Amino acid sequence: MSAIDRHYLDMALALASQGLYSTMPNPRVGCVIVNAGQVVGRGWHQRAGQPHAEVHALREAGPAARGATAYVTLEPCGHQGRTPPCADALVAAGVSRVVTASGDVSQSIGADRLREAGIVVEALPCPRARALNRGFFSRIERQRPWVRVLRPAALEIGAIGEGAMLSHCDEQAPLAHWRGRASALLSTCDWVKACDTSLVAQVAGQRAEPVVPLRVLVDQGLDCPASAKMLDGRAPTLVLHGAQARRDGRYARARCQVLEDLGALRILQTLHELDCNEVQVEAEPAWCEALARQGLVDEWLVQV
């Protein structure tokens, strides 16, 4: 691998990052096609159900894709989903080489299809490519979402945060950014009563319209006040509650689901079943600490 390969993969990663708020539950992927030292095609995945990055890049490249190298931030898919396999599109276009920045255990047949067609496939692993899709990889490889916790001011994370990464909520990456890249925003009834958070993500100025994260309220007895912002209907809302709780008009605009076990693991399993990649938790210190003590916090978000 050469510095030139890394340069083009960096270009592909920059394209992929444009889908930070809009591709869920799909991964964020970028593609650059280069022929004879010239970039002939660029593309990025914008939204689930729409063409993948490779297809956009191939459309721009046209006939110039034949004999070219495709730089892709994630191994091309090889199965028929809502869109056709990208591996087949690359084969049909006649590219001669594909360089990937990260593998994908859910799509590993993509590389096999390329090799069977005589295309050279080379991996240039890049931590940035993994980081961009850490939630997607967590869901596929660990069968649970990536869990990011907004640290309550009263919680000291030094003793319980071992093994979790640390990120900062600041002017460069405000709370709207972190909420916007999540698949689900989770809070609890006690926290809603204390601070009445709305958990609405408002990200503006993106080329692709952001996907509105699912709001998740853990409310064992359905005790939240009718005036709670979490029940205002401004975003899709799932209320997880116990079997003995009685619903009333307060929850008319929310989807409710009974869970016999409202433990953290069962809640994360439910969100995995809903194809959630990243879950951002904003809850009271005791709930956040309980997550950490069970080893379920992957990332602490600290406001500075």
Side-chain angles (χ1 to χ4, degrees):
M1 294 295 173
S2 67
I4 293 176
D5 289 329
R6 292 189 180 276
H7 169 72
Y8 290 127
L9 278 181
D10 284 344
M11 289 180 61
L13 281 166
L15 288 166
S17 66
Q18 295 186 54
L20 188 65
Y21 310 115
S22 62
T23 67
M24 300 167 289
N26 287 1
R28 299 123 183 172
V29 183
C31 178
V32 173
I33 298 176
V34 180
N35 199 336
Q38 298 294 318
V39 175
V40 296
R42 301 174 181 84
W44 56 285
H45 183 44
Q46 300 180 22
R47 202 174 190 88
Q50 295 183 5
H52 291 184
E54 296 93 325
V55 173
H56 286 297
L58 289 170
R59 286 176 179 172
E60 183 178 301
R66 185 159 299 278
T69 295
Y71 294 88
V72 192
T73 58
L74 183 69
E75 181 181 339
C77 63
H79 79 295
Q80 175 71 48
R82 282 189 278 182
T83 59
C86 291
D88 289 357
L90 291 165
V91 170
V95 302
S96 62
R97 179 173 176 248
V98 174
V99 180
T100 63
S102 56
D104 179 1
V105 294
S106 72
Q107 310 288 354
S108 58
I109 60 172
D112 293 340
R113 286 197 184 193
L114 296 173
R115 293 189 178 98
E116 288 169 2
I119 296 173
V120 175
V121 180
E122 298 177 88
L124 183 59
C126 175
R128 286 173 53 206
R130 291 279 306 186
L132 186 64
N133 288 307
R134 56 174 62 106
F136 173 78
F137 287 119
S138 178
R139 177 169 63 83
I140 297 299
E141 297 172 0
R142 302 191 299 174
Q143 287 73 57
R144 75 162 177 84
W146 177 271
V147 178
R148 179 170 53 251
V149 177
L150 180 64
R151 189 202 73 171
L155 180 63
E156 292 292 334
I157 63 175
I160 59 175
E162 186 176 347
M165 66 179 292
L166 195 65
S167 298
H168 294 97
C169 181
D170 52 25
E171 291 183 0
Q172 296 296 320
L175 186 57
H177 159 79
W178 294 106
R179 285 180 173 176
R181 67 172 289 166
S183 299
L185 303 169
L186 184 149
S187 193
T188 62
C189 181
D190 286 345
W191 190 244
V192 168
K193 286 179 177 179
C195 67
D196 199 19
T197 180
S198 67
L199 282 195
V200 172
Q202 296 176 315
V203 180
Q206 302 303 308
R207 289 180 58 184
E209 182 181 354
V211 172
V212 179
L214 174 70
R215 297 188 299 187
V216 181
L217 174 61
V218 181
D219 186 0
Q220 172 76 42
L222 293 180
D223 298 320
C224 275
S227 60
K229 293 177 182 176
M230 278 281 285
L231 302 175
D232 60 12
R234 293 176 58 197
T237 305
L238 171 64
V239 180
L240 302 176
H241 64 87
Q244 303 305 314
R246 297 185 62 181
R247 302 179 195 175
D248 57 33
R250 290 174 292 177
Y251 302 89
R253 290 182 290 187
R255 179 161 57 95
C256 296
Q257 181 174 340
V258 176
L259 288 185
E260 296 292 341
D261 173 14
L262 275 170
L265 278 172
R266 181 66 185 94
I267 291 170
L268 292 180
Q269 180 185 0
T270 298
L271 296 179
H272 169 260
E273 292 166 358
L274 294 174
D275 289 339
C276 291
N277 292 340
E278 296 179 24
V279 174
Q280 180 156 315
V281 176
E282 300 183 28
E284 67 274 10
W287 214 84
C288 297
E289 184 174 346
L291 279 175
R293 294 200 182 281
Q294 294 176 70
L296 297 174
V297 177
D298 299 305
E299 180 179 9
W300 290 102
L301 183 59
V302 180
Q303 292 182 298
V304 296

